[in-house]
Structures are given as C-alpha cells and as structure tokens.
Amino acid sequence: MKKILITGSLGQIGSELTLKLRKEYGINNIISTDIREINNEITKDGIFETLDVLDVDKIFEISKKYNVDTIIHLAALLSANGEKNPKNTWDINMGSVLNCLEVSRELNLKLFVPSSIAVFGNNTPKDNTPQNTIMRPNTMYGVTKVSGEMLCDYYFQKFGVDTRGLRFPGLISYMTLPGGGTTDYAVDIYYKAIEDKKYNCYIDENTYMDMMYMPDALNAIVNLMESPKDKLINRNAYNISSMSFSPKEIYLEIKKHIKDFEIFYDVDPIRQNIANSWPNSIDSSCAEKEWGFKFDYNLETMTLDMINRISKKLNKES
Ligand code: SER
C-alpha cells in the first residue's frame, strides 16, 4: 500500500486507522474521506475530502486525483441501526461496495471491505464457529455483509481485483464511539462505569459475543493488506477474534478497578435477538495460518487501558 483512500474516516474504525496510517505511511499518502465534515484532527491535520460513497464518479475522481493504489472502505450502517430501515441499509451497504469494486477494477486498486460476525445466523454452529460454515444471517446488516463477501469473491475471480476482508467481532475503543451496533454495550459500559458508577445494560448478562480491542483490529487490517497475495485462500473474509465475554464478565473485570460499580439489566429485545443469533466464539485459525493473525490484548489488559484512556479523556473535556 502506498496511497490509501479511506471511506468512513470519521467513524469508529476510520478515525483511529487514519491516524495510524498517517504515521506509518506518511501524512500525504492517506486520503481520508467521509460524508460528514467536522472540525477535528482527521479533517484538519491531513488530506480530507467529503465523499458520499454512493457517488461513484466522486470515488473515481478522488482516486485519480491522488493516484490512489488501495481503498479501505469502512463506511457502512451497523446491525442495530440497519434494522430501522432495512432497504436503506441494503442500498448504502451494497451500493457503496459495488462502487468501490468498480473503481478498483477500472483503476487496478487493492480493496479492503470489512465483514462481520453478523454474517452468521441462528443455524450456524455457536462455539468455535468455523471459517467456512452456514451463513444465513437474520439482520439486513448481516445480509449485506454476506453479499459483500460474495461480491468481492466474484470480482477477484472474474476480474482479478485484489479484494480482501475481515469478519470483525465487536470492536472496543476510546477515541470515537461506535454508531448503532449490537456490541456497542461493551464500549458504553466503560464510560458509564467511570462517569456514573452504574450501567443499565441492554444485553442479557450471560450472552457471549466475540470482541476485539481497536489496536489489534487496526494491526489486522494492515497485516492482511500487506501480506503476499498468493497466501490468501479465504480472502473474503477471515474470522478474527481475540476474546469472547458476556456483560457479566466485562462488568466483573471493570469492578476490579472501580469497586462501587453496579450493573442493571434492561434487555432490548431487538438487540438481544441479534446477539442470540451470533456466535459465542469464532475460530480464527485460518487467519493465523494464512497471514499470521495475532493479537495483544485480552479482557484484562484492554480494561486497564480503556479505564486509563477514558479517564484522561473525560478529565480533559471537563
Ligand atoms: N459491531 C458490529 C455490530 O454490532 C458487528 O459487526 O453491528
């Protein structure tokens, strides 16, 4: 990767990925884009363009203008938000992937499209979920992610476009909040623990889902994109996970540091239903074998870092 276009740069993954790639690849080699334009370090300290990912001409224009060789396409609607307007979710998630594929085909670019644990559904094996298994999701978000994987496979096989992807679990980070996912509780809980010492959780205490700390997710993107093409068998897309826990387990881990922290449960049936349809834990061994996936953080080390970082951030803001 030499000149990288990122879509959704102001989102949860995009904001941290932009800063990391600017450091690693040079500030003038990262073209961050988003449909919004807010005043922050992403938009002010490096190259930033406003981009609606449904505008294929503008994707072409920006890619040519900066001589882009790689697109990292992060703009998408997540699982819980996606259920509010399923057709809109299909239009945005699929239209944008198709646009990025077309631009990549025409201009011979490498393309990263994230997938998700949401590709799995009620009839998928729940524990140690294999890389290749039943994928019959019951959210529109999941439907777009499976379809996106298939479309990327098709463009690779038919046109030789170098498409690559990861099935992300719930991502936990302190810089930018996630927007409308089912796993968002695992971010909210840290803020509420620090600010209010209590948290009202919308997921039942014993529901397990795969999770990952953001630094590990960003390393995974870079490592996958930089690995030799001929090593990648399951290129679209790899199961990756670094931990699996329930609300009760993350609560107990935070409570080790914030002794008077309390948790209550007020289960939201829509998001609980989605969580129930996803695996308890997925098997990342294909990613490990094919391109050396590894991770640094577990629940304990992530919790320590999250509490320190969020406390500092909130102190600065107040
Ligand atoms: N974190 C995402 C969601 O909850 C899963 O990919 O929608």
Side-chain angles (χ1 to χ4, degrees), residues 73-284:
H73 173 44
L74 301 175
L77 291 182
L78 292 185
S79 60
N81 267 357
E83 289 309 288
K84 291 179 191 155
N85 188 341
K87 180 177 180 302
N88 193 39
T89 305
W90 172 268
D91 290 344
I92 292 174
N93 288 6
M94 294 314 297
S96 64
V97 170
L98 194 59
N99 286 345
C100 289
L101 282 164
E102 274 300 299
V103 173
S104 302
R105 179 175 71 83
E106 285 268 334
L107 303 179
N108 196 21
L109 314 181
K110 225 173 180 179
L111 174 63
F112 176 82
V113 179
S115 186
S116 162
I117 50 169
V119 295
F120 302 117
N122 284 320
N123 49 8
T124 303
K126 288 260 176 254
D127 297 305
N128 208 22
T129 305
Q131 171 71 34
N132 293 305
T133 182
I134 301 165
M135 293 193 290
R136 290 283 176 177
N138 59 353
T139 60
M140 181 52 92
Y141 173 68
V143 170
T144 66
K145 287 295 166 190
V146 179
S147 310
E149 287 188 11
M150 290 167 69
L151 209 50
C152 287
D153 271 347
Y154 179 82
Y155 269 70
F156 169 67
Q157 282 152 14
K158 178 94 179 171
F159 306 115
V161 178
D162 190 353
T163 52
R164 305 177 182 204
L166 297 170
R167 289 181 188 141
F168 281 128
L171 297 181
I172 296 163
S173 64
Y174 56 85
M175 189 174 146
T176 308
L177 291 173
T182 303
T183 55
D184 296 10
Y185 89 85
V187 177
D188 296 345
I189 194 169
Y190 286 103
Y191 282 88
K192 295 292 182 329
I194 294 164
E195 287 179 301
D196 305 336
K197 309 250 186 292
K198 46 180 188 285
Y199 181 58
N200 204 358
C201 189
Y202 60 82
I203 296 289
D204 175 72
E205 62 178 337
N206 293 317
T207 307
Y208 282 81
M209 283 185 278
D210 287 283
M211 302 279 176
M212 183 177 279
Y213 198 31
M214 188 59 85
D216 286 328
L218 302 182
N219 284 337
I221 296 176
V222 173
N223 292 344
L224 171 66
M225 292 309 282
E226 293 292 6
S227 34
K229 200 173 165 179
D230 56 359
K231 293 249 161 77
L232 307 178
I233 301 160
N234 293 281
R235 54 174 50 240
N236 302 300
Y238 290 92
N239 280 8
I240 55 163
S241 174
S242 53
M243 57 188 108
S244 165
F245 56 74
S246 62
K248 190 175 173 183
E249 285 180 1
I250 189 174
Y251 161 70
L252 290 174
E253 192 58 42
I254 297 172
K255 202 173 158 64
K256 287 183 191 163
H257 306 275
I258 304 173
K259 303 277 179 247
D260 48 352
F261 179 37
E262 289 181 287
I263 191 164
F264 305 92
Y265 294 92
D266 182 9
V267 171
D268 166 22
I270 296 179
R271 283 176 288 184
Q272 183 63 45
N273 218 3
I274 297 175
N276 290 345
S277 75
W278 291 353
N280 297 329
S281 64
I282 61 173
D283 170 21
S284 317

Side-chain angles (χ1 to χ4, degrees), residues 11-38:
Q12 189 199 10
I13 307 175
S15 52
E16 295 201 31
L17 186 69
T18 296
L19 298 182
K20 178 186 169 76
L21 296 187
R22 278 180 186 167
K23 261 194 218 137
E24 287 180 15
Y25 292 83
I27 197 145
N28 294 323
N29 295 323
I30 307 307
I31 296 82
S32 41
T33 70
D34 202 285
I35 195 165
R36 299 169 288 160
E37 184 163 16
I38 52 175

